[in-house]
Amino acid sequence: RKVVPAQLGFLAIYNPSLGTTDETLADQIVYYSSQESRRTKRKQKGLDAEATKEVENEKLRHIGLAQGMVEFAKTFSDGKPMDTVETEKSRIILHEIEAGWWILAVSQA
């Protein structure tokens, strides 16, 4: 068997307190980079509105899922945040670097 090294699927830095309503949810994301968004930008130099919205929705889905996992895990860990989630195909790393500031990295095999 050949060993395939993991690759960074996406990396995000976010703070939930920067966007507390549905309209300001995207304001939580301070930095976001993914393989898919870079690939899309390379293919279409001038992104059309639909592609731009798709990339934005991808960001929001990832951040929302991470926040949901953190809140869910807190119920089982006396309020302490989780650090990692491992699946067969990916590893999700969540780290609160300062109060309210999170780094989210997902590696994919």
Side-chain angles (χ1 to χ4, degrees):
R1 277 178 87 165
K2 185 178 178 183
V3 176
V4 178
Q7 295 182 5
L8 186 64
F10 68 90
L11 176 71
I13 299 173
Y14 69 94
N15 184 332
S17 67
L18 298 177
T20 55
T21 66
D22 287 344
E23 293 80 28
T24 61
L25 193 60
D27 295 340
Q28 294 181 12
I29 304 169
V30 178
Y31 176 81
Y32 182 91
S33 180
S34 72
Q35 289 179 345
E36 189 61 37
S37 64
R38 287 190 304 271
R39 206 174 296 127
T40 302
K41 286 179 184 176
R42 265 187 256 129
K43 284 181 183 176
Q44 303 173 357
K45 207 167 198 177
L47 289 175
D48 60 8
E50 187 176 320
T52 302
K53 187 168 178 86
E54 187 177 316
V55 169
E56 194 62 31
N57 285 339
E58 174 189 346
K59 291 179 191 181
L60 295 175
R61 279 192 305 270
H62 289 150
I63 299 301
L65 178 60
Q67 289 176 355
M69 288 188 302
V70 167
E71 291 304 315
F72 180 74
K74 280 182 180 180
T75 61
F76 301 102
S77 64
D78 296 325
K80 296 176 186 168
M82 62 185 286
D83 286 330
T84 62
V85 174
E86 291 188 46
T87 67
E88 277 188 37
K89 297 187 181 222
S90 67
R91 175 180 284 173
I92 302 168
I93 301 167
L94 289 149
H95 184 69
E96 189 173 24
I97 51 176
E98 286 186 22
W101 288 92
W102 290 85
I103 290 181
L104 169 62
V106 174
S107 64
Q108 299 169 336

